[in-house]
C-alpha cells in the first residue's frame, strides 16, 4: 500500500475487492465498483444492512441523464458582476421529468403506500460543445409518483452523491433514506453513474 493510500485510509471493499477511501467517513460509503453501501465497524468495512433507514437522505442512485455532472444550485450570494456574467451565459433549459419505475410500498418504511409525492429541484449544469464549456443551463428536475405511507413524506430528494473514493466531483442523482428501497429502485432502473473519473 502506498503512502497516498494510507493517507486516504484506503481499504478494500469486502464485496468486490475494489478500493474504498475511509478518511472522510460519511454516514455510508458507496463503493463505486460494485454499488454497495458500506460502513466501518471496529476498523473493518462491512455492507450496511438492507433494512437500514437513515434519519436523513444518504443512499444515492443515478438518473438516466448523462449531462448531470458538476451540478451546482442557484443562489443569489454572488458579487453583482459575477451574477450578471452567470445570467448572460445561462440558458433556461426547462423541465425534465424522471421516467422511473417505483417499487411498491412506502419509499421510507416499505409499508403500504397510500399517496404519491412529487420531488423537484432546480440545478445548474455546464453546457458543453465538444471539449469546450459554453456556459450553463438551468434545469428543473422532477420525479413524480414517489410512493409514501400516511406517516412518511419526503423520502427521496435530488442531490449530490459521494462515492467512497476521493477523486473528482461528487456525482448527482436521487438520494433515499431507505437502503432497501434504494436497492429495489436500482433493480427496476439500472442506470449507470455518469462522468466518474478513473480510480
Amino acid at each position: 500500500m502506498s503512502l497516498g493510500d494510507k493517507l486516504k485510509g484506503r481499504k478494500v471493499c469486502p464485496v468486490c475487492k475494489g478500493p474504498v477511501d475511509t478518511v472522510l467517513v460519511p454516514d455510508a460509503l458507496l463503493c463505486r465498483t460494485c454499488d454497495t453501501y458500506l460502513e466501518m465497524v471496529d476498523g473493518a468495512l462491512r455492507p450496511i444492512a438492507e433494512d437500514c433507514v437513515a434519519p436523513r437522505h444518504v443512499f444515492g442512485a443515478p438518473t438516466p441523464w448523462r449531462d448531470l455532472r458538476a451540478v451546482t444550485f442557484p443562489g443569489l450570494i454572488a458579487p453583482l458582476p459575477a451574477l450578471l456574467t452567470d445570467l448572460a451565459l445561462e440558458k433556461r433549459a426547462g423541465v425534465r421529468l424522471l421516467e422511473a419505475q417505483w417499487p411498491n410500498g412506502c419509499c421510507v418504511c416499505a409499508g403500504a403506500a397510500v399517496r404519491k409525492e412529487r420531488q423537484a429541484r432546480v440545478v445548474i449544469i455546464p453546457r458543453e460543445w465538444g471539449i469546450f464549456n459554453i456556459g450553463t443551463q438551468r434545469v428543473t428536475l422532477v420525479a413524480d409518483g414517489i410512493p409514501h405511507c400516511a406517516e412518511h413524506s419526503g423520502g427521496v430528494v435530488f442531490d449530490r452523491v459521494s462515492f467512497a473514493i476521493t477523486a473528482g466531483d461528487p456525482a448527482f442523482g436521487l438520494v433515499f433514506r431507505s437502503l432497501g428501497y434504494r436497492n429495489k429502485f436500482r433493480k427496476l432502473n439500472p442506470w449507470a453513474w455518469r462522468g466518474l473519473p478513473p480510480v
Side-chain angles (χ1 to χ4, degrees):
M1 187 177 290
S2 72
L3 177 60
D5 288 341
K6 288 180 182 177
L7 290 174
K8 294 174 186 175
R10 186 158 286 181
K11 294 189 180 292
V12 174
C13 172
V15 176
C16 71
K17 308 302 182 214
V20 177
D21 294 346
T22 63
V23 168
L24 301 174
V25 179
D27 296 330
L29 297 160
L30 178 55
C31 176
R32 57 185 278 189
T33 308
C34 67
D35 201 49
T36 300
Y37 270 96
L38 308 165
E39 62 184 347
M40 289 286 290
V41 178
D42 297 327
L45 288 173
R46 73 173 188 195
I48 295 177
E50 184 85 6
D51 62 355
C52 178
V53 176
R56 63 182 186 83
H57 301 92
V58 175
F59 306 112
T63 68
W65 300 308
R66 294 177 169 267
D67 61 344
L68 287 187
R69 31 183 218 292
V71 168
T72 57
F73 307 109
L76 297 176
I77 302 172
L80 186 57
L83 183 60
L84 294 175
T85 302
D86 288 348
L87 290 173
L89 294 174
E90 183 179 282
K91 176 185 174 190
R92 306 226 176 228
V95 175
R96 292 186 191 177
L97 181 61
L98 181 71
E99 295 184 17
Q101 295 181 54
W102 297 98
N104 293 327
C106 173
C107 66
V108 178
C109 69
V114 297
R115 61 192 171 74
K116 295 182 177 181
E117 288 187 0
R118 169 178 283 183
Q119 177 59 230
R121 184 147 198 193
V122 177
V123 298
I124 297 174
I125 56 177
R127 286 189 299 147
E128 296 174 349
W129 183 63
I131 60 169
F132 300 104
N133 184 337
I134 58 169
T136 59
Q137 58 185 343
R138 181 183 296 243
V139 181
T140 301
L141 306 175
V142 177
D144 217 353
I146 306 169
H148 287 79
C149 67
E151 182 182 341
H152 294 112
S153 64
V156 181
V157 296
F158 287 106
D159 208 347
R160 293 186 179 109
V161 178
S162 296
F163 285 83
I165 197 82
T166 52
D169 294 325
F172 188 85
L174 290 169
V175 188
F176 299 77
R177 287 183 53 204
S178 166
L179 177 59
Y181 194 89
R182 176 262 186 198
N183 291 343
K184 290 176 187 174
F185 179 88
R186 292 286 286 131
K187 288 179 183 169
L188 292 174
N189 306 279
W191 301 313
W193 289 105
R194 307 286 182 201
L196 297 179
V199 177

